[in-house]
Short mmCIF file of all heavy atoms in Angstrom, two decimals:
data_model
loop_
_atom_site.label_atom_id
_atom_site.label_comp_id
_atom_site.label_asym_id
_atom_site.label_seq_id
_atom_site.Cartn_x
_atom_site.Cartn_y
_atom_site.Cartn_z
N MET A 152 8.61 11.93 4.50
CA MET A 152 9.26 10.73 3.94
C MET A 152 8.28 9.95 3.07
O MET A 152 8.66 9.43 2.03
CB MET A 152 9.76 9.85 5.08
CG MET A 152 10.96 10.42 5.80
SD MET A 152 11.53 9.38 7.12
CE MET A 152 10.48 9.87 8.45
N LEU A 153 7.04 9.92 3.52
CA LEU A 153 6.03 9.19 2.75
C LEU A 153 5.83 9.82 1.38
O LEU A 153 5.76 9.12 0.36
CB LEU A 153 4.71 9.18 3.53
CG LEU A 153 3.68 8.16 3.08
CD1 LEU A 153 4.13 6.76 3.40
CD2 LEU A 153 2.33 8.42 3.74
N ASN A 154 5.75 11.14 1.36
CA ASN A 154 5.56 11.84 0.08
C ASN A 154 6.76 11.67 -0.85
O ASN A 154 6.61 11.71 -2.07
CB ASN A 154 5.32 13.33 0.32
CG ASN A 154 3.87 13.62 0.64
OD1 ASN A 154 2.97 12.94 0.15
ND2 ASN A 154 3.62 14.61 1.48
N ASN A 155 7.93 11.46 -0.26
CA ASN A 155 9.15 11.29 -1.08
C ASN A 155 9.41 9.85 -1.48
O ASN A 155 10.35 9.57 -2.22
CB ASN A 155 10.37 11.83 -0.33
CG ASN A 155 10.37 13.34 -0.28
OD1 ASN A 155 9.82 13.98 -1.17
ND2 ASN A 155 10.94 13.91 0.75
N SER A 156 8.61 8.94 -0.95
CA SER A 156 8.85 7.53 -1.24
C SER A 156 8.26 7.16 -2.59
O SER A 156 7.14 7.52 -2.92
CB SER A 156 8.19 6.69 -0.14
OG SER A 156 7.98 5.38 -0.59
N SER A 157 9.05 6.41 -3.38
CA SER A 157 8.52 6.05 -4.70
C SER A 157 7.49 4.93 -4.61
O SER A 157 6.58 4.85 -5.42
CB SER A 157 9.67 5.62 -5.62
OG SER A 157 10.32 4.52 -5.06
N LEU A 158 7.63 4.08 -3.61
CA LEU A 158 6.70 2.95 -3.51
C LEU A 158 5.44 3.29 -2.73
O LEU A 158 4.37 2.75 -3.00
CB LEU A 158 7.38 1.75 -2.84
CG LEU A 158 8.36 0.93 -3.67
CD1 LEU A 158 8.84 -0.27 -2.88
CD2 LEU A 158 7.73 0.45 -4.96
N THR A 159 5.55 4.17 -1.74
CA THR A 159 4.40 4.36 -0.86
C THR A 159 3.86 5.80 -0.83
O THR A 159 3.08 6.13 0.05
CB THR A 159 4.74 3.93 0.58
OG1 THR A 159 5.88 4.67 1.00
CG2 THR A 159 5.03 2.47 0.65
N ALA A 160 4.29 6.63 -1.74
CA ALA A 160 3.75 8.00 -1.77
C ALA A 160 2.23 7.94 -1.92
O ALA A 160 1.72 7.10 -2.66
CB ALA A 160 4.37 8.76 -2.94
N PRO A 161 1.50 8.80 -1.21
CA PRO A 161 0.04 8.74 -1.30
C PRO A 161 -0.45 8.91 -2.74
O PRO A 161 0.08 9.72 -3.50
CB PRO A 161 -0.40 9.94 -0.45
CG PRO A 161 0.73 10.23 0.44
CD PRO A 161 1.96 9.85 -0.31
N THR A 162 -1.42 8.10 -3.09
CA THR A 162 -2.04 8.20 -4.42
C THR A 162 -3.54 8.34 -4.21
O THR A 162 -4.02 8.22 -3.08
CB THR A 162 -1.78 6.94 -5.25
OG1 THR A 162 -2.34 5.82 -4.55
CG2 THR A 162 -0.30 6.70 -5.47
N GLU A 163 -4.25 8.56 -5.29
CA GLU A 163 -5.71 8.73 -5.14
C GLU A 163 -6.36 7.43 -4.65
O GLU A 163 -7.40 7.47 -4.03
CB GLU A 163 -6.31 9.19 -6.46
CG GLU A 163 -5.89 10.63 -6.78
CD GLU A 163 -6.69 11.24 -7.90
OE1 GLU A 163 -7.40 10.51 -8.60
OE2 GLU A 163 -6.58 12.47 -8.07
N LYS A 164 -5.74 6.30 -4.95
CA LYS A 164 -6.26 5.03 -4.44
C LYS A 164 -5.89 4.83 -2.97
O LYS A 164 -6.62 4.19 -2.22
CB LYS A 164 -5.68 3.87 -5.26
CG LYS A 164 -6.42 3.61 -6.56
CD LYS A 164 -7.58 2.67 -6.31
CE LYS A 164 -8.28 2.31 -7.61
NZ LYS A 164 -9.60 1.73 -7.34
N PHE A 165 -4.72 5.34 -2.60
CA PHE A 165 -4.25 5.19 -1.22
C PHE A 165 -3.87 6.57 -0.66
O PHE A 165 -2.68 6.86 -0.48
CB PHE A 165 -3.04 4.26 -1.16
CG PHE A 165 -3.32 2.88 -1.68
CD1 PHE A 165 -2.82 2.46 -2.90
CD2 PHE A 165 -4.08 1.98 -0.94
CE1 PHE A 165 -3.06 1.19 -3.38
CE2 PHE A 165 -4.33 0.71 -1.41
CZ PHE A 165 -3.83 0.31 -2.64
N PRO A 166 -4.85 7.42 -0.42
CA PRO A 166 -4.52 8.77 0.07
C PRO A 166 -4.09 8.76 1.54
O PRO A 166 -4.27 7.77 2.24
CB PRO A 166 -5.83 9.54 -0.11
CG PRO A 166 -6.86 8.57 -0.50
CD PRO A 166 -6.27 7.21 -0.58
N ALA A 167 -3.55 9.89 1.96
CA ALA A 167 -3.14 10.04 3.37
C ALA A 167 -3.49 11.45 3.81
O ALA A 167 -3.75 12.32 2.98
CB ALA A 167 -1.65 9.80 3.51
N TYR A 168 -3.53 11.66 5.13
CA TYR A 168 -3.77 13.02 5.61
C TYR A 168 -3.02 13.26 6.91
O TYR A 168 -2.68 12.32 7.63
CB TYR A 168 -5.27 13.30 5.79
CG TYR A 168 -5.91 12.63 6.98
CD1 TYR A 168 -5.99 13.27 8.21
CD2 TYR A 168 -6.47 11.37 6.89
CE1 TYR A 168 -6.59 12.67 9.31
CE2 TYR A 168 -7.07 10.74 7.96
CZ TYR A 168 -7.14 11.41 9.17
OH TYR A 168 -7.72 10.80 10.27
N VAL A 169 -2.73 14.53 7.14
CA VAL A 169 -2.16 14.94 8.43
C VAL A 169 -3.07 15.98 9.04
O VAL A 169 -3.81 16.67 8.32
CB VAL A 169 -0.73 15.54 8.29
CG1 VAL A 169 0.27 14.47 7.96
CG2 VAL A 169 -0.71 16.64 7.26
N GLN A 170 -3.02 16.06 10.35
CA GLN A 170 -3.88 17.03 11.04
C GLN A 170 -3.07 18.27 11.38
O GLN A 170 -1.95 18.18 11.88
CB GLN A 170 -4.44 16.40 12.31
CG GLN A 170 -5.50 17.28 12.96
CD GLN A 170 -6.11 16.62 14.19
OE1 GLN A 170 -6.05 15.41 14.35
NE2 GLN A 170 -6.70 17.44 15.05
N ASN A 171 -3.66 19.43 11.07
CA ASN A 171 -3.04 20.71 11.43
C ASN A 171 -4.07 21.53 12.19
O ASN A 171 -4.94 22.13 11.58
CB ASN A 171 -2.65 21.50 10.17
CG ASN A 171 -1.57 20.80 9.38
OD1 ASN A 171 -0.51 20.53 9.91
ND2 ASN A 171 -1.87 20.48 8.13
N GLY A 172 -3.99 21.52 13.50
CA GLY A 172 -4.96 22.26 14.29
C GLY A 172 -6.37 21.75 14.06
O GLY A 172 -6.64 20.56 14.23
N SER A 173 -7.23 22.61 13.60
CA SER A 173 -8.63 22.21 13.41
C SER A 173 -8.90 21.80 11.96
O SER A 173 -10.05 21.77 11.54
CB SER A 173 -9.55 23.37 13.79
OG SER A 173 -9.25 24.48 12.97
N ALA A 174 -7.85 21.51 11.21
CA ALA A 174 -8.04 21.11 9.81
C ALA A 174 -7.14 19.93 9.47
O ALA A 174 -6.20 19.61 10.22
CB ALA A 174 -7.72 22.28 8.89
N ILE A 175 -7.46 19.28 8.37
CA ILE A 175 -6.59 18.21 7.89
C ILE A 175 -6.11 18.57 6.48
O ILE A 175 -6.82 19.25 5.73
CB ILE A 175 -7.30 16.84 7.86
CG1 ILE A 175 -8.56 16.86 6.97
CG2 ILE A 175 -7.63 16.37 9.24
CD1 ILE A 175 -9.14 15.50 6.69
N THR A 176 -4.91 18.11 6.14
CA THR A 176 -4.39 18.28 4.79
C THR A 176 -4.31 16.91 4.14
O THR A 176 -3.70 15.99 4.69
CB THR A 176 -3.00 18.93 4.82
OG1 THR A 176 -3.10 20.14 5.57
CG2 THR A 176 -2.50 19.24 3.42
N VAL A 177 -4.98 16.80 2.99
CA VAL A 177 -5.07 15.50 2.32
C VAL A 177 -4.04 15.42 1.20
O VAL A 177 -3.80 16.39 0.48
CB VAL A 177 -6.49 15.31 1.74
CG1 VAL A 177 -6.63 13.93 1.12
CG2 VAL A 177 -7.53 15.49 2.83
N PHE A 178 -3.42 14.25 1.10
CA PHE A 178 -2.46 13.99 0.02
C PHE A 178 -2.93 12.79 -0.79
O PHE A 178 -3.49 11.86 -0.21
CB PHE A 178 -1.06 13.72 0.59
CG PHE A 178 -0.49 14.87 1.35
CD1 PHE A 178 -0.62 14.93 2.73
CD2 PHE A 178 0.16 15.90 0.70
CE1 PHE A 178 -0.11 15.99 3.44
CE2 PHE A 178 0.68 16.96 1.41
CZ PHE A 178 0.54 17.01 2.78
N PRO A 179 -2.74 12.76 -2.12
CA PRO A 179 -2.09 13.77 -2.94
C PRO A 179 -2.96 15.02 -3.08
O PRO A 179 -4.17 14.96 -2.86
CB PRO A 179 -1.94 13.07 -4.29
CG PRO A 179 -3.04 12.07 -4.33
CD PRO A 179 -3.24 11.63 -2.92
N ALA A 180 -2.32 16.11 -3.47
CA ALA A 180 -3.00 17.39 -3.53
C ALA A 180 -4.05 17.46 -4.63
O ALA A 180 -4.81 18.43 -4.71
CB ALA A 180 -1.98 18.51 -3.72
N THR A 181 -4.12 16.40 -5.46
CA THR A 181 -5.14 16.39 -6.52
C THR A 181 -6.53 16.15 -5.93
O THR A 181 -7.52 16.36 -6.61
CB THR A 181 -4.84 15.29 -7.55
OG1 THR A 181 -4.58 14.07 -6.86
CG2 THR A 181 -3.65 15.65 -8.41
N ILE A 182 -6.58 15.73 -4.69
CA ILE A 182 -7.88 15.61 -4.01
C ILE A 182 -8.16 16.99 -3.42
O ILE A 182 -7.67 17.34 -2.35
CB ILE A 182 -7.83 14.51 -2.93
CG1 ILE A 182 -7.52 13.17 -3.58
CG2 ILE A 182 -9.15 14.46 -2.15
CD1 ILE A 182 -7.27 12.05 -2.61
#
Side-chain angles (χ1 to χ4, degrees):
Chain A
M152 288 180 275
L153 196 69
N154 277 328
N155 287 333
S156 160
S157 60
L158 283 185
T159 57
T162 60
E163 291 193 347
K164 278 273 184 196
F165 300 107
Y168 73 91
V169 288
Q170 189 177 339
N171 295 302
S173 60
I175 58 169
T176 305
V177 184
F178 299 95
T181 49
I182 299 172

